[in-house]
Amino acid sequence: MRNLTYQITPDVIKESETIQLGQDLKLSCHVDAVPQDKVQYTWYKNQKVIKTSDRIVITKNDLELPPVTSSLEIIDLRFSDYGTYLCDASLPNLPLTLNSSEINISAETVPPSISVPRGQLVITVREGSTAELQCEVRGKPLPPVLWTRMDKEATFPNGEKLIETPDGKLRLENVTREMSGGYKCQTARYNGFNIRSREAAVQLNVQFAPVVEPKFQDLRLPMKRSVTLRCNMLKGSPVKVATAVWRFERSLLSVPPIEQQEFSEYKINSTRRETSGTYECTISNDVGSDSCVFQVTGRAYNPEFYYDTPNPIESFKQFKNYSYLIQWTQKEPGAVDPVLHYKLELKPPNMKGMNSFVVISRDSRKGFLYELRLTDLKIPQHYEVKITPHTVSGPGDSASRSIRYKEPVNYQSDGTCRFEDDKLCGFVQDKYDTFDWIRQSKVNQSLRRTANTGPVMDRSGKPEGFYMFIEASRPRRFGDKARLISPLYNITSRLPSLKTTYCVSFYYHMYGRHIGNLTVLLRLKNIVSQDIPLWSKKGDQGNKWQLENLQVNPTAPFQIVFECVIGKGVEGDMAIDDVTIRKGECLKRQIPPTKVAAPSSAARHPLSGFRLWLVSFLLFVLLR
């Protein structure tokens, strides 16, 4: 058993809120217990058990109150009914008994009233401190006070929506800005009068330091431009700026005093080298401060490397050197004064010494592609390249990248990859697919290979010839993917918008009743890589090697990706062979004639006219 409470209800019929002689009065008593229906109540007056009579009625289940609530009704209240009442609650076979507080019924019993003490209607405290809200309750008996947030969705720091205080004081520790707002205090209907609650309100203001924006702003401007720097106070309490202090490179700036507002501004009349640097605005209110930082310069943004040369464009092993082509564009060239030139620094890592080059700027358009051919690079060293743009205001932001030497890819004399070498002509397996392609020939294929699917030999029909193959048997599952990626092919045009034509030629074999998908993708390696579908086949295409030619016009360095997706069964093996990727258009296929022409006239035979003339001439001579 717990929470034993009582209520005093003046005459309900007359809707009275005070206790008066000659009217009815009801006292109620309730306890929370398990089992609830086994609770037994006993009423006492002046420490003696009350006996029922025609004016004293005791009930256990009052329909107007929570279940299993005992009520003591006094009809036609008399002077002799004044006294001290008490109820206790007990459970059978349980020695524990709970007693209510003493209920004094007399001419001095008055309903409660509640109010906020003078000067306590608005409480202002700083964030992190303690706030004490207070409401005063008068009356006899004094009921508890219930506190709630006036914002219905808001709760107290402990997550509860209701807090009870016996003395009317609400103490909040370590207050935050979210706790600002209105708080309502009201009298409880238990342990006091069961009448309309009395209410009052207290406003809590939590002061906190300002929050400003921008925290940091990088401003890049052409020289001799004016700009106004503005630091905004997003929130704070008090909500107005008390002071604003501006500094340039930590030196105090002279600014006119501000009126109460939510921001502060500083104007630079003309940007120059002398006015370029760091500006800081510190905004304060009565609690604390926060700062905006502005970096004002005419520095050019960094160059952005184009995905240009993945491998050397020339290699001279006899001289142990190679050449490399560097390409880049300028980020936001119109933000500042035009770039005059680029300084390029070339340095082998972990070595002393550096080579410097100057590339004169020729075009300030966004996206214009600069390039520089680097020669006499030592095999097999790799280099660090740093490019810095220069404007009238000086050097801008730099960009760096590494140049690495790679052995050139070896193809057959006709440029076709037949996968005879285990280096796969530079093709690589995708690290992020589900499984890998297999290099296979009839000689080394598994004796347990699935029947009725896949090629028997490579495209040339030689048992020792190799091809690239995917196996659809276990542990493969429906939807698994395998990708084979070609080497990176260079596009070195000065303008990325210009297109270069390439022909992608390959043989494929897709035979079996569970064949999935074979897709060819064009992977462009620009600032952001993207895969573009070029060609796709699905399902059984017959037990034979078939040729496919694809013509592409990449606008950036590219790779060709062969992707296989497993079908719904083991008879889904696929293969490719004889892959050629070369610059130029694909050759048109020759279409055989549909019928053979009959040589029935002279017009169809180039010698028929000459022979007819010769016979006529001989007859003419003989006749003469």
Side-chain angles (χ1 to χ4, degrees), residues 202-455:
V202 179
Q203 179 70 29
L204 175 63
N205 293 332
V206 181
Q207 294 184 334
F208 58 93
V211 178
V212 300
E213 72 166 8
K215 293 291 187 182
F216 178 82
Q217 186 175 10
D218 185 8
L219 291 173
R220 310 208 181 196
L221 303 166
M223 295 294 97
K224 300 181 181 179
R225 296 288 181 89
S226 65
V227 61
T228 299
L229 311 180
R230 179 165 176 165
C231 186
N232 297 298
M233 184 170 171
L234 291 180
K235 51 188 175 182
S237 178
V239 296
K240 301 295 183 181
V241 177
T243 59
V245 178
W246 285 86
R247 290 181 174 86
F248 172 63
E249 299 293 345
R250 298 186 179 181
S251 297
L252 195 63
L253 294 174
S254 176
V255 292
I258 62 170
E259 298 179 358
Q260 290 288 311
Q261 55 192 19
E262 293 82 17
F263 62 89
S264 180
E265 292 181 337
Y266 181 79
K267 184 176 182 180
I268 303 174
N269 294 319
S270 178
T271 53
R272 306 183 306 276
R273 286 194 180 188
E274 295 78 14
T275 61
S276 297
T278 303
Y279 292 79
E280 182 179 10
C281 175
T282 302
I283 284 183
S284 305
N285 61 8
D286 296 339
V287 182
S289 61
D290 197 9
S291 297
C292 299
V293 177
F294 304 88
Q295 189 72 30
V296 181
T297 65
R299 292 168 58 92
Y301 285 99
N302 58 281
E304 295 178 319
F305 283 103
Y306 198 62
Y307 271 92
D308 36 25
T309 311
N311 304 310
I313 57 175
E314 290 179 335
S315 179
F316 307 98
K317 290 191 175 181
Q318 64 273 29
F319 302 111
K320 294 186 177 181
N321 61 20
Y322 65 98
S323 298
Y324 209 98
L325 188 68
I326 284 289
Q327 296 176 305
W328 70 92
T329 58
Q330 178 59 43
K331 179 181 178 181
E332 301 296 338
V336 296
D337 294 301
V339 175
L340 301 177
H341 65 270
Y342 291 91
K343 182 179 179 181
L344 187 145
E345 298 170 304
L346 182 67
K347 176 182 179 297
N350 304 322
M351 294 180 66
K352 295 181 179 180
M354 179 184 299
N355 293 328
S356 297
F357 307 88
V358 174
V359 178
I360 303 300
S361 176
R362 300 185 305 276
D363 199 322
S364 60
R365 288 178 299 166
K366 186 173 184 178
F368 180 79
L369 190 63
Y370 292 89
E371 61 181 39
L372 179 65
R373 186 188 186 97
L374 303 175
T375 59
D376 297 327
L377 305 178
K378 301 302 180 182
I379 296 175
Q381 287 184 0
H382 62 276
Y383 295 81
E384 296 294 326
V385 177
K386 179 180 178 183
I387 299 180
T388 306
H390 286 252
T391 64
V392 293
S393 65
D397 293 347
S398 301
S400 299
R401 65 161 294 182
S402 295
I403 293 175
R404 296 189 176 273
Y405 175 77
K406 291 184 180 180
E407 288 288 338
V409 176
N410 293 320
Y411 291 95
Q412 280 75 10
S413 58
D414 59 356
T416 299
C417 182
R418 297 184 174 88
F419 303 108
E420 301 303 316
D421 188 345
D422 58 5
K423 293 184 179 180
L424 305 181
C425 313
F427 280 78
V428 295
Q429 308 280 0
D430 191 345
K431 296 180 181 179
Y432 304 103
D433 58 7
T434 314
F435 67 107
D436 288 342
W437 289 72
I438 303 170
R439 178 174 168 267
Q440 181 172 287
S441 69
K442 184 178 181 181
V443 176
N444 74 348
Q445 68 185 6
S446 172
L447 297 177
R448 294 184 177 182
R449 66 183 301 271
T450 307
N452 301 318
T453 186

Side-chain angles (χ1 to χ4, degrees), residues 87-235:
C87 85
D88 66 32
S90 61
L91 285 171
N93 303 320
L94 188 67
L96 176 66
T97 299
L98 293 184
N99 299 321
S100 72
S101 300
E102 292 183 343
I103 309 167
N104 294 305
I105 303 299
S106 67
E108 297 178 356
T109 304
V110 293
S113 64
I114 194 168
S115 63
V116 179
R118 187 174 181 179
Q120 299 292 312
L121 285 172
V122 179
I123 303 298
T124 301
V125 295
R126 292 194 175 189
E127 193 170 38
S129 62
T130 300
E132 187 175 88
L133 314 185
Q134 184 174 353
C135 286
E136 289 185 347
V137 182
R138 298 178 179 85
K140 188 177 181 181
L142 290 176
V145 175
L146 305 180
W147 288 91
T148 56
R149 300 284 300 267
M150 296 184 71
D151 180 356
K152 294 182 180 179
E153 300 300 324
T155 61
F156 290 96
N158 60 4
E160 297 180 357
K161 287 195 172 185
L162 181 71
I163 290 181
E164 175 186 324
T165 62
D167 58 355
K169 293 181 179 180
L170 176 65
R171 186 178 178 85
L172 301 173
E173 304 283 350
N174 193 23
V175 294
T176 63
R177 63 195 69 181
E178 290 76 17
M179 295 170 66
S180 295
Y183 290 76
K184 181 175 69 174
C185 58
Q186 64 184 46
T187 57
R189 294 193 176 189
Y190 57 88
N191 295 348
F193 277 75
N194 181 24
I195 58 177
R196 179 181 57 84
S197 294
R198 275 46 171 172
E199 299 179 354
V202 179
Q203 179 70 29
L204 175 63
N205 293 332
V206 181
Q207 294 184 334
F208 58 93
V211 178
V212 300
E213 72 166 8
K215 293 291 187 182
F216 178 82
Q217 186 175 10
D218 185 8
L219 291 173
R220 310 208 181 196
L221 303 166
M223 295 294 97
K224 300 181 181 179
R225 296 288 181 89
S226 65
V227 61
T228 299
L229 311 180
R230 179 165 176 165
C231 186
N232 297 298
M233 184 170 171
L234 291 180
K235 51 188 175 182

Side-chain angles (χ1 to χ4, degrees), residues 518-535:
L518 175 60
T519 303
V520 180
L521 304 166
L522 174 67
R523 177 169 292 179
L524 294 178
K525 301 290 286 186
N526 208 322
I527 295 176
V528 177
S529 297
Q530 56 178 336
D531 289 348
I532 303 172
L534 295 177
W535 175 91

Side-chain angles (χ1 to χ4, degrees), residues 573-589:
D573 300 347
M574 291 176 269
I576 60 171
D577 199 5
D578 293 5
V579 179
T580 306
I581 304 173
R582 60 178 176 80
K583 189 179 293 187
E585 296 183 354
C586 296
L587 298 177
K588 295 183 179 179
R589 297 180 183 177

